[in-house]
Amino acid sequence: MKTRLSEDGTKLVATYELHPFDFDRSGHLKLWILAAIIDANQVANLLGDHAQLRFPGFLKTVTGFARYQEFRIQPEFYTKLRPGADTTATVTLWISHVGKTSWLLEGDVRLASTGEVLCHCLGQAVLMNMATRKPTGIPEFIREAFPAQNPLLRLDVPTPVNPGRMYRHDFVALPSDSDINEHTNFSTYIRFCADATAALVREGVFSFLKEGVKMKKISLLFQKETKEGENVTVEATEDLGRSNSLDFQVKKGNDNIVKCCFEFFDDEIKSKL
């Protein structure tokens, strides 16, 4: 990964050379790999040579936890980014809001050769006290450097209003799933939910879930942590009042860990991909 600042100095731009093993058997970039490279850029915004947010005591007394992540995937993600072809991508992120304890990052992933947008992303992170694992205040001088343009909207994942039958799949957080905060990285939960989705496709339990279904949007709300070796259950259900979507609740015992929603392209769009 190579990073630089945009010409106006307001955005962090990273370039990635993707490898064949980053793609699935259909020739599409694995969605948790997409999330992981965006996460790497988010971390670079805190620690790298071109970091835009530099918190005093970062990774000594304070750290950043993801609260919300959203990925809006464009059709070009499936048609233009292919293994053995054009596999260089750029990730551009900018800070769109800094509040009392959290900040908002927006950005996009583009095909480096043409500039075509593959994915838009949005993420909210919270500054955490490492000793208490609770939110702490962002220093005033950092907030002054990023004056708020608009109030921060409450970011959330939809809760099923009319849920159908629930399906459960069990997973274990592996050592390789942990990040610098010594907890399971958010991209891992996308992999858990994607693997649960693949099982549901094989079982044919939802009429809209068929082989080759394409993701349109992923949204995640982080509620609690999991760590290496812990068992989690992914509960999947369909909201009967919302088409082409799956709702997930990742649980550790009775605790809610992550709420997630996958939205899929409808048949008209799928026929063009």
Side-chain angles (χ1 to χ4, degrees):
M1 178 182 77
K2 298 179 180 179
T3 62
R4 62 178 175 83
L5 289 177
S6 60
E7 291 184 4
D8 62 4
T10 63
K11 301 177 177 67
L12 182 66
V13 183
T15 304
Y16 294 86
E17 295 288 343
L18 299 169
H19 300 280
F21 52 78
D22 292 330
F23 294 80
D24 63 21
R25 63 186 179 186
S26 300
H28 303 307
L29 184 65
K30 297 171 184 175
L31 294 168
W32 54 94
I33 298 294
L34 171 68
I37 65 175
I38 292 173
D39 179 52
N41 203 0
Q42 291 174 338
V43 172
N45 231 328
L46 299 168
L47 292 173
D49 293 337
H50 303 106
Q52 296 175 289
L53 283 175
R54 295 187 182 275
F55 295 111
F58 192 73
L59 291 186
K60 294 180 180 179
T61 58
V62 297
T63 188
F65 279 13
R67 179 194 171 271
Y68 178 87
Q69 293 284 346
E70 177 182 301
F71 307 94
R72 285 167 284 144
I73 301 165
Q74 306 302 299
E76 288 77 10
F77 176 86
Y78 299 103
T79 60
K80 300 297 178 69
L81 188 64
R82 307 288 290 182
D86 198 345
T87 55
T88 304
T90 60
V91 180
T92 303
L93 290 181
W94 57 91
I95 300 163
S96 60
H97 187 96
V98 176
K100 293 181 180 180
T101 61
S102 70
W103 64 97
L104 202 64
L105 282 169
E106 297 186 55
D108 54 50
V109 182
R110 295 175 182 264
L111 199 62
S113 61
T114 65
E116 292 172 282
V117 177
L118 307 174
C119 174
H120 296 288
C121 55
L122 173 67
Q124 183 184 14
V126 179
L127 191 65
M128 304 290 285
N129 181 298
M130 293 178 69
T132 64
R133 310 295 265 194
K134 293 183 178 181
T136 189
I138 293 176
E140 190 65 29
F141 75 91
I142 293 179
R143 296 179 61 193
E144 290 175 352
F146 297 93
Q149 303 298 319
N150 297 294
L152 178 63
L153 298 176
R154 180 73 175 175
L155 300 171
D156 204 349
V157 173
T159 298
V161 176
N162 186 18
R165 180 179 174 184
M166 182 179 293
Y167 297 83
R168 293 178 173 87
H169 299 83
D170 295 323
F171 299 92
V172 179
L174 302 175
S176 58
D177 296 329
S178 297
D179 59 22
I180 59 174
N181 289 318
E182 299 183 357
H183 64 194
T184 305
N185 184 264
F186 76 80
S187 62
T188 301
Y189 298 109
I190 296 178
R191 191 184 82 232
F192 289 166
C193 293
D195 286 346
T197 301
L200 294 172
V201 169
R202 288 194 301 270
E203 295 165 10
V205 296
F206 297 122
S207 60
F208 69 92
L209 270 187
K210 301 184 184 302
E211 191 72 35
V213 67
K214 301 293 190 297
M215 200 82 68
K216 179 181 181 181
K217 181 181 176 182
I218 301 171
S219 53
L220 305 104
L221 180 71
F222 304 96
Q223 300 158 308
K224 288 188 177 181
E225 302 175 83
T226 59
K227 296 188 177 183
E228 173 188 336
E230 293 184 332
N231 298 300
V232 299
T233 298
V234 175
E235 298 179 343
T237 188
E238 176 188 21
D239 189 334
L240 300 177
R242 232 184 321 120
S243 60
N244 297 316
S245 66
L246 270 181
D247 296 288
F248 303 92
Q249 179 64 63
V250 182
K251 301 180 75 75
K252 181 178 68 176
N254 293 323
D255 291 336
N256 291 334
I257 304 300
V258 177
K259 186 164 65 167
C260 176
C261 181
F262 284 178
E263 298 178 32
F264 302 91
F265 283 107
D266 58 26
D267 291 333
E268 181 181 354
I269 295 294
K270 283 191 291 187
S271 65
K272 301 176 182 178
L273 298 178

